[in-house]
Amino acid sequence: MTELKQRIEKLKFDIVKAINDSGLTLEVCELVLDTVHIQLQNQVEKMKEEKKDEIRDDYPAGPDA
């Protein structure tokens, strides 16, 4: 888990650095962050659905289902 946390921190740092280095206006930076946040939320939801599908595949419904 520590490695995952380190990778997440590195990604956050890289995103902030890229935005700071971009020279974009504050409004554009906020839009970029909002977009990244939405994309990350969507990806997490997709991963949750995939995990649910894996669990369903591992435990198929019995004859009573």
Side-chain angles (χ1 to χ4, degrees), residues 38-53:
I38 291 168
Q39 289 174 336
L40 288 173
Q41 280 182 320
N42 291 342
Q43 185 63 33
V44 166
E45 290 302 317
K46 180 180 173 185
M47 292 168 71
K48 285 179 182 178
E49 286 301 316
E50 289 172 356
K51 184 70 172 175
K52 285 180 188 176
D53 290 343

Side-chain angles (χ1 to χ4, degrees), residues 1-53:
M1 190 65 165
T2 303
E3 180 184 344
L4 178 60
K5 286 183 179 182
Q6 289 173 342
R7 290 174 61 191
I8 291 169
E9 288 301 315
K10 171 95 170 82
L11 284 170
K12 290 191 311 189
F13 175 81
D14 290 346
I15 290 168
V16 170
K17 183 172 181 348
I19 288 172
N20 285 339
D21 293 347
S22 70
L24 298 172
T25 65
L26 177 61
E27 293 80 11
V28 174
C29 290
E30 289 173 341
L31 179 61
V32 168
L33 287 175
D34 288 345
T35 302
V36 169
H37 183 251
I38 291 168
Q39 289 174 336
L40 288 173
Q41 280 182 320
N42 291 342
Q43 185 63 33
V44 166
E45 290 302 317
K46 180 180 173 185
M47 292 168 71
K48 285 179 182 178
E49 286 301 316
E50 289 172 356
K51 184 70 172 175
K52 285 180 188 176
D53 290 343

